Amino acid sequence: MKLVLVGDGPYRTTLEEKAKEYQVTDSVIFTGMVSPDEVARYYQIGDLFVSASTSETQGMTYDEALAGGVPLLCRKDDCLKEVVMEGKNGWQYENESMYLECIQKWKEFSEDEKRRMRNTAVRTADQFSKESFAKRVERVYLAALEERKRRNVYAA
């Protein structure tokens, strides 16, 4: 099993030092920054997309992972209520013990269970597609038009 950390940031040096301290450098890969064209490949090599972020403002990484068929394991965040379907396309954790529990569940899943979860991840990513977004915007627009028509009828 390998841990692949894609990207860069202020904690990279600290994490590299921790990997040395715990003697797991053979199991941890630090890729550094990758070009946007390469990102999808990195999602697809993973079994789980793990995020400890509490500051995702757009959540693109979650959507990209799901679209790649990679279930999520994310820090609990209200912004993920409509994204993570517990036990179906991933999990949310609040602390270290919950995180480890989820990792253990994943490890104990049969290949069929993992495949189902991956397939669900892809299906749930569809809600973030441009087509899906356009349909939702259209529904809001049509509802607003109907409301305006209704108000004008009653105002007359």
Side-chain angles (χ1 to χ4, degrees):
M1 188 180 330
K2 298 274 185 191
L3 173 63
V4 179
L5 298 169
V6 180
D8 218 338
Y11 292 105
R12 180 175 176 172
T13 303
T14 303
L15 293 171
E16 287 173 330
E17 289 169 3
K18 286 288 182 192
K20 287 177 189 169
E21 178 185 333
Y22 293 124
Q23 300 176 354
V24 294
T25 53
D26 291 345
S27 300
V28 182
I29 299 169
F30 293 88
T31 67
M33 292 301 289
V34 298
S35 75
D37 297 340
E38 300 283 317
V39 172
R41 287 192 228 178
Y42 282 94
Y43 283 115
Q44 293 175 345
I45 65 170
D47 292 320
L48 286 173
F49 175 78
V50 180
S51 176
S53 177
T54 57
S55 63
E56 281 294 325
T57 55
Q58 295 180 1
M60 297 280 293
T61 57
Y62 304 124
D63 305 341
E64 291 169 338
L66 291 170
V70 182
L72 306 174
L73 177 53
C74 306
R75 185 86 169 263
K76 189 169 179 74
D77 190 328
D78 284 344
C79 78
L80 295 173
K81 282 182 192 174
E82 304 295 319
V83 178
V84 179
M85 297 172 4
E86 290 294 315
K88 293 186 170 97
N89 71 350
W91 298 276
Q92 291 188 65
Y93 64 92
E94 293 181 41
N95 53 47
E96 183 180 351
S97 65
M98 286 177 74
Y99 169 82
L100 293 172
E101 225 174 89
C102 294
I103 293 287
Q104 190 60 41
K105 283 180 195 175
W106 177 258
K107 288 169 69 176
E108 291 172 359
F109 272 3
S110 68
E111 283 308 310
D112 280 345
E113 290 170 310
K114 288 179 180 179
R115 191 177 309 104
R116 271 195 298 280
M117 196 172 232
R118 288 183 188 110
N119 290 339
T120 301
V122 171
R123 282 193 311 276
T124 57
D126 285 344
Q127 69 182 313
F128 305 110
S129 72
K130 61 185 173 193
E131 294 82 10
S132 221
F133 177 76
K135 285 178 185 173
R136 286 195 308 273
V137 169
E138 180 183 38
R139 281 195 300 269
V140 169
Y141 180 72
L142 292 172
L145 285 175
E146 284 301 315
E147 178 64 20
R148 184 175 177 168
K149 282 181 191 175
R150 189 182 65 75
R151 284 187 193 165
N152 286 341
V153 167
Y154 292 122

